Amino acid sequence: MNPVVQHWELRRMDEVTWEVVGVTYTPRSGRRDFRATVHAVHPEDSAITGTDGDRYPLEPSTTGTEALFVVQADLALLERQCSGPRDMPCAGCGAPVVGTPDELCFHCEGLEASA
C-alpha cells in the first residue's frame, strides 16, 4: 500500500492532464516529494489512481475533496468529448487524422482551398 500523500494539491498541466503534487512520509524513507499524473479520482475515498495504475491515498480535507469532485467532473467531460472516432484516415491522402471519416488533414485542406 502506498503511503498517504500529505500537503497535496491538484494542478492542471494542460487541457486534458491533471497532476497531484505533495509529500509522503514513511519512517523508513523519511519525507519524499510526490508527483503523479492523474488517471482517475476517488473523492469518496480521498484517493487518486495514477497513470501508472497505482492508487494513492490523499490526506483528507474538505477543500481537497471539493477539488477532487471538480477534477472528476472535468475528466468525465473530457472522456465524453473524446469518445468519438479517432485516428481516422484522411479522406484525401489516407494520413491518420483525429475526427470523422470524411475529414481532411491540414495538407489536403490546404490543397482543396487553393484549388
Side-chain angles (χ1 to χ4, degrees):
M1 181 169 180
N2 290 315
V4 173
V5 179
Q6 302 171 350
H7 310 292
W8 59 273
E9 65 182 54
L10 285 157
R11 296 182 182 169
R12 187 169 210 149
M13 297 171 65
D14 56 35
E15 337 37 79
V16 297
T17 311
W18 289 89
E19 73 174 351
V20 171
V21 294
V23 295
T24 59
Y25 177 81
T26 60
R28 190 173 183 197
S29 304
R31 182 176 186 241
R32 303 181 98 183
D33 290 336
F34 175 85
R35 171 174 265 129
T37 306
V38 176
H39 173 71
V41 295
H42 314 284
E44 61 284 347
D45 299 332
S46 191
I48 65 151
T49 300
T51 53
D52 60 0
D54 283 352
R55 189 175 175 113
Y56 299 99
L58 305 172
E59 182 177 49
S61 74
T62 304
T63 55
T65 301
E66 291 171 4
L68 289 172
F69 277 113
V70 169
V71 172
Q72 184 179 49
D74 185 63
L75 292 174
L77 177 63
L78 289 169
E79 183 154 337
R80 281 193 303 276
Q81 290 173 346
C82 295
S83 63
R86 297 185 210 164
D87 296 320
M88 302 299 294
C90 168
C93 67
V97 294
V98 176
T100 58
D102 59 340
E103 290 192 43
L104 298 172
C105 67
F106 290 120
H107 173 73
C108 290
E109 281 180 353
L111 292 175
E112 187 177 79
S114 65

